[in-house]
């Protein structure tokens, strides 16, 4: 495949900036009046990096993707990376210093007070006019996907970031997995309903002598798992525009009752409350357990590679209560990833040029470069399908597939542009069991859209109130979650639990979220 502009028209050879006048805030004039872009524009760019990146790169400037971007756009990026693990602290220091880079890549929905506050704090600038005049690819995408436009806008309609957007049919990266070899040996099907799960776990305990048929960590419950079978989310969710909180619902009692029954019967690992990742890994590998939550890449891949064919794993669909039902509560990420979104700061002297550079990520050519790299180097076209080369799949420097992708591309984590291309997912998971699990976990991912709470932004005052309330609510809820499951607190006292949640003002928290959702739904 020859790299020719397909969506973004480059009218000055080698420069995406053709079309920009010297006045960065003006609309691009006709190509015949455009200046030369012989001198590269330099932009500073603050963004976090993963451990996979730091294993082979000092900064993104050494990445094949960004080196190719510079050739194509004549924009030189000087990257600033916070230390892995201290991103939040260093972001706060960056903002406090007032010495902002030209571009900040971050999840601005987590900014204290929300994106609107980031704008009023002069951390970000409004992007509506800039995108309208200088980002044709993103502009078209937002016109075709008004839901995404709503996501990246404040309640007053201000667009604040160039988003990382999820695409593809295999967005769900983790779920419940089981020992497939045990299922086959015992002539059991992969469980679908909660009754199926109870039967399978009993068989694992009785016939495979599993000490912890189902092993989990306490943090695993901070995501959609078995709760969805009872029609509730693990946290805030919505149904037909009405905000609900799963642990403050009568159906939560049924969920707790099932976990309590499994715990008493020895089907749920008795160590789940204190178990760490190392302990879970050991049980998953040595046959102490037959079922656990795992991510397809970092979990299943790790276990199956270590097993070297001695056992196999199977992904299970998100559970339901009755056969024929479809799961709705699924760990599907938002299409607007939040993280990996780039905002332009008031320090930037070239906002129009920056917008053009960022917009390239949303072009067909930019997406191919970002996701697959350079033809003949990181991929080859086989019957119209981009196949990664051995530089990625069997890296000569012994980099894993994820590490090689991190070195040469920007595909494994959200970043401006699109993430989750099915052609990438298919190759990122090399083992058939992983490919199968990906398809199973994601089969009903579209159902999650109806219950997912969008990234709403309460007012600054209400956000502070919500934070205070939920700090106490979560502390109490987590305490009672353990007591109910372990039988320390009888489920007969569930009404007292609900009463205490009410006294902790959970209904006010729900009302705040409802108001924020109502305002979100009014966005244009």
């Amino acid at each position: 495949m020859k790299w020719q502009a397909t969506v973004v028209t480059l009218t000055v050879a080698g420069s995406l900036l053709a079309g920009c006048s010297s006045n960065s805030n003006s609309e691009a004039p006709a190509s015949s009046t455009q200046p030369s872009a012989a001198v590269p524009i330099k932009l500073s760019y603050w963004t976090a990096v993963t451990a996979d990146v730091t294993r082979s790169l000092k900064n993104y400037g050494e990445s094949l993707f960004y080196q190719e971007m510079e050739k194509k756009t004549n924009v030189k990026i000087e990257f600033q990376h916070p230390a892995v693990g201290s991103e939040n602290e260093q972001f706060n220091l960056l903002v406090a210093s007032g010495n902002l880079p030209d571009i900040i890549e971050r999840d601005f929905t987590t900014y204290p007070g929300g994106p609107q506050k980031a704008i009023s704090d002069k951390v970000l600038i409004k992007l509506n006019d800039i995108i309208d005049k200088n980002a044709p690819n993103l502009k078209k995408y937002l016109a075709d996907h008004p839901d995404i436009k709503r996501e990246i806008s404040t309640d007053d309609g201000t667009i604040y970031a160039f988003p990382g957007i999820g695409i593809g049919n295999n967005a769900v990266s983790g779920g419940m997995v089981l020992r497939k070899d045990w299922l086959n040996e015992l002539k059991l099907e992969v469980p679908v309903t909660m009754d199926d799960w109870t039967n399978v776990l009993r068989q694992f305990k009785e016939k495979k002598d599993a000490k912890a048929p189902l092993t989990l960590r306490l943090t695993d419950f901070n995501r959609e798992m078995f709760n969805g079978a009872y029609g509730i989310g693990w946290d805030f969710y919505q149904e037909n525009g009405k905000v609900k909180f799963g642990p403050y619902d009568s159906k939560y009692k049924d969920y707790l009752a099932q976990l309590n029954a499994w715990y008493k019967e020895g089907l749920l690992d008795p160590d789940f409350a204190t178990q760490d990742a190392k302990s879970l890994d050991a049980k998953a590998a040595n046959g102490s357990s037959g079922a656990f939550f795992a991510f397809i890449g970092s979990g299943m891949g790790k276990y199956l590679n270590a097993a070297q064919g001695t056992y196999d794993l199977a992904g299970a669909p998100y559970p339901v209560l009755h056969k024929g039902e479809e799961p709705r509560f699924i760990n599907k990420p938002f299409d607007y990833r939040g993280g990996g979104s780039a905002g332009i700061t008031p320090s930037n002297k070239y906002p129009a040029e920056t917008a053009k550079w960022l917009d390239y990520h949303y072009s067909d050519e930019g997406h191919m470069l970002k996701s697959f790299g350079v033809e003949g180097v990181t991929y080859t076209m086989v019957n119209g399908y981009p196949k990664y080369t051995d530089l990625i799949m069997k890296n000569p420097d012994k980099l894993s597939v994820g590490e090689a992708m991190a070195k040469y591309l920007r595909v494994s984590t959200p970043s401006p542009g699109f993430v989750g291309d099915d052609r990438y997912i298919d190759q990122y998971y090399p083992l058939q069991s992983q490919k199968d699990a990906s398809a199973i976990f994601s089969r009903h991912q579209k159902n999650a859209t109806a219950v997912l709470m969008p990234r709403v932004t309460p007012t600054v005052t209400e956000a502070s109130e919500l934070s205070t309330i939920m700090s106490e609510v979560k502390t109490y809820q987590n305490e009672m979650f353990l007591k109910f499951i372990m039988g320390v607190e009888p489920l007969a006292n569930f009404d007292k639990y609900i009463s205490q949640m009410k006294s902790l003002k959970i209904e006010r928290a729900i009302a705040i979220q409802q108001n924020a959702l109502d305002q979100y739904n009014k966005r244009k």
Side-chain angles (χ1 to χ4, degrees):
M1 175 179 176
K2 298 297 183 183
W3 284 106
Q4 297 174 337
T6 57
V7 178
V8 178
T9 301
L10 309 184
T11 53
V12 173
S15 175
L16 181 65
L17 298 181
C20 298
S21 72
S22 58
N23 181 348
S24 60
N25 292 311
S26 66
E27 186 171 0
S31 60
S32 60
T33 63
Q34 292 169 8
S36 169
V39 178
I41 290 173
K42 293 184 179 181
L43 298 173
S44 52
Y45 192 135
W46 190 96
T47 180
V49 291
T50 65
D52 279 353
V53 174
T54 60
R55 289 189 182 98
S56 56
L57 301 176
K58 293 180 181 178
N59 64 69
Y60 270 139
E62 298 177 344
S63 164
L64 174 69
F65 168 61
Y66 285 111
Q67 289 176 350
E68 290 297 311
M69 278 280 288
E70 182 177 345
K71 294 176 185 177
K72 294 175 180 297
T73 66
N74 222 20
V75 175
K76 182 173 180 60
I77 302 295
E78 296 177 345
F79 285 98
Q80 301 172 8
H81 300 309
V84 175
S86 63
E87 294 86 356
N88 290 334
E89 294 84 351
Q90 293 196 37
F91 174 74
N92 292 336
L93 290 173
L94 179 73
V95 171
S97 73
N99 185 23
L100 299 177
D102 297 309
I103 306 168
I104 296 177
E105 181 183 312
R106 183 168 175 79
D107 184 351
F108 293 103
T109 67
T110 65
Y111 189 90
Q116 186 67 59
K117 187 65 164 56
I119 292 172
S120 64
D121 287 347
K122 300 189 184 306
V123 174
L124 300 176
I125 64 172
K126 297 181 179 181
L127 297 175
N128 300 60
D129 288 344
I130 291 172
I131 289 174
D132 184 57
K133 297 174 181 178
N134 303 285
N137 297 296
L138 180 56
K139 178 181 178 180
K140 183 180 186 305
Y141 188 87
L142 296 179
D144 293 340
H145 299 82
D147 53 327
I148 298 296
K149 182 179 180 182
R150 190 180 295 118
E151 289 272 332
I152 65 170
S153 301
T154 62
D155 287 343
D156 68 0
T158 298
I159 297 175
Y160 59 86
F162 284 77
I165 302 171
I167 58 173
N169 299 307
N170 294 278
V172 185
S173 61
M176 296 302 303
V177 300
L178 302 97
R179 285 285 297 267
K180 184 177 181 180
D181 53 315
W182 286 6
L183 292 173
N184 291 341
E185 179 185 337
L186 299 172
K187 295 180 171 54
L188 296 170
E189 298 292 330
V190 172
V192 175
T193 67
M194 294 303 290
D195 286 345
D196 292 342
W197 269 96
T198 299
N199 178 54
V200 165
L201 295 177
R202 282 177 180 160
Q203 296 292 318
F204 283 178
K205 182 176 188 291
E206 296 169 3
K207 297 182 180 178
K208 297 305 299 180
D209 196 29
K211 306 303 180 186
L214 170 63
T215 190
L216 296 164
R217 294 177 297 165
L218 187 58
T219 53
D220 288 328
F221 291 96
N222 294 333
R223 56 171 62 96
E224 306 299 354
M225 210 159 45
F226 295 106
N227 55 281
Y230 299 91
I232 56 171
W234 75 273
D235 199 86
F236 288 105
Y237 65 100
Q238 64 165 324
E239 282 191 336
N240 300 316
K242 183 178 180 181
V243 175
K244 297 186 176 183
F245 183 64
Y248 187 65
D249 190 293
S250 60
K251 290 176 285 191
Y252 186 62
K253 182 179 180 180
D254 297 328
Y255 170 49
L256 292 173
Q258 180 63 80
L259 295 178
N260 171 254
W262 283 353
Y263 183 82
K264 287 194 297 187
E265 195 175 336
L267 305 183
L268 173 61
D269 192 338
D271 299 327
F272 82 93
T274 57
Q275 182 158 248
D276 60 15
K278 185 176 181 181
S279 174
L280 188 147
D281 286 351
K283 291 175 182 176
N286 65 19
S288 299
S289 177
F292 39 87
F293 181 93
F295 289 102
I296 302 170
S298 58
M300 289 185 72
K302 174 174 61 178
Y303 300 140
L304 291 172
N305 287 330
Q308 294 185 339
T310 58
Y311 68 77
D312 200 0
L313 296 172
Y318 279 74
V320 294
L321 207 55
H322 307 290
K323 286 190 184 300
E325 295 177 340
E326 290 188 1
R328 297 182 299 153
F329 295 89
I330 298 167
N331 291 301
K332 176 189 177 296
F334 294 93
D335 289 340
Y336 164 46
R337 293 298 197 253
S341 297
I344 299 176
T345 75
S347 299
N348 193 313
K349 296 179 180 179
Y350 306 100
E353 290 88 342
T354 302
K356 287 179 178 288
W357 183 82
L358 287 166
D359 189 59
Y360 179 74
H361 295 70
Y362 303 90
S363 69
D364 290 347
E365 182 182 285
H367 175 64
M368 284 296 297
L369 179 60
K370 178 174 179 286
S371 300
F372 299 100
V374 177
E375 185 174 9
V377 179
T378 53
Y379 81 96
T380 57
M381 292 300 289
V382 180
N383 297 323
Y385 189 97
K387 296 285 289 184
Y388 292 116
T389 65
D390 285 351
L391 188 63
I392 301 296
M393 303 305 295
K394 299 178 182 178
N395 185 266
D397 296 324
K398 306 301 182 184
L399 297 178
S400 68
V401 172
E403 290 168 346
M405 287 180 170
K407 179 177 181 179
Y408 296 103
L409 316 169
R410 274 211 80 179
V411 64
S412 300
T413 55
S415 58
F418 303 107
V419 64
D421 190 306
D422 288 336
R423 299 169 296 178
Y424 143 72
I425 292 290
D426 183 55
Q427 297 173 81
Y428 180 69
Y429 300 136
L431 303 174
Q432 189 60 48
S433 294
Q434 291 175 296
K435 297 180 192 296
D436 293 343
S438 178
I440 290 170
F441 293 159
S442 298
R443 183 176 297 154
H444 298 106
Q445 68 177 36
K446 291 183 179 179
N447 291 352
T449 303
V451 294
L452 267 176
M453 269 290 288
R455 288 189 176 85
V456 297
T457 52
T459 65
V460 174
T461 301
E462 288 191 333
S464 177
E465 183 183 2
L466 179 66
S467 177
T468 299
I469 293 172
M470 291 310 297
S471 176
E472 293 188 5
V473 164
K474 281 292 188 181
T475 298
Y476 176 68
Q477 178 219 329
N478 290 337
E479 174 189 342
M480 295 305 294
F481 179 78
L482 288 177
K483 287 183 176 180
F484 281 132
I485 292 177
M486 294 179 173
V488 176
E489 188 79 20
L491 281 163
N493 290 342
F494 184 78
D495 288 346
K496 293 181 180 178
Y497 157 81
I498 291 293
S499 178
Q500 179 62 18
M501 290 282 276
K502 185 174 183 178
S503 71
L504 292 174
K505 302 181 179 179
I506 183 58
E507 291 183 353
R508 172 57 184 158
I510 293 171
I512 291 173
Q513 291 283 59
Q514 184 69 59
N515 181 55
L517 179 62
D518 292 342
Q519 294 303 311
Y520 169 88
N521 286 332
K522 292 177 183 177
R523 295 177 188 173
K524 297 180 179 180

